[in-house]
Amino acid sequence: MQGLSIQSLKKHKALIPLFVCVGLGCGASFFYTLRLALRNPDVSWNKRSNPEPWEEYRNKQYKFYSPNIDYTKEESPAPKY
């Protein structure tokens, strides 16, 4: 296919930033999805060893970015089971 090989990119140099931006966007979306799958308390991979993993995050900050609230000092309104 024209435009997808190294030889074609050497001829059409204007396509190089496009490929770089698309590649960085795909990589960032992959790593963010991986982070959500591994760090989010809503996802439980092993229910036998830890049946209620959300209890570990009662006073922890699990949001990606929170400039206004420090969750380590907040008390969770969720009931304790």
Side-chain angles (χ1 to χ4, degrees):
M1 285 181 130
Q2 187 177 10
L4 295 177
S5 67
I6 300 294
Q7 296 297 328
S8 180
L9 283 178
K10 287 181 182 178
K11 291 179 186 176
H12 304 287
K13 295 188 188 278
L15 290 177
I16 294 174
L18 177 68
F19 278 89
V20 170
C21 290
V22 169
L24 288 175
C26 289
S29 65
F30 172 76
F31 283 117
Y32 185 68
T33 304
L34 184 67
R35 182 190 180 278
L36 285 177
L38 296 176
R39 301 280 297 160
N40 199 343
D42 296 333
V43 178
S44 179
W45 290 97
N46 189 0
K47 292 184 180 181
R48 291 192 183 117
S49 67
N50 192 4
E52 295 179 348
W54 49 87
E55 291 295 326
E56 293 178 9
Y57 290 92
R58 182 171 291 279
N59 293 328
K60 290 183 182 177
Q61 178 178 348
Y62 64 90
K63 288 189 172 184
F64 187 69
Y65 178 69
S66 179
N68 299 331
I69 300 173
D70 184 16
Y71 286 98
T72 58
K73 298 175 184 170
E74 291 279 326
E75 181 61 34
S76 175
K80 296 179 182 177
Y81 295 108

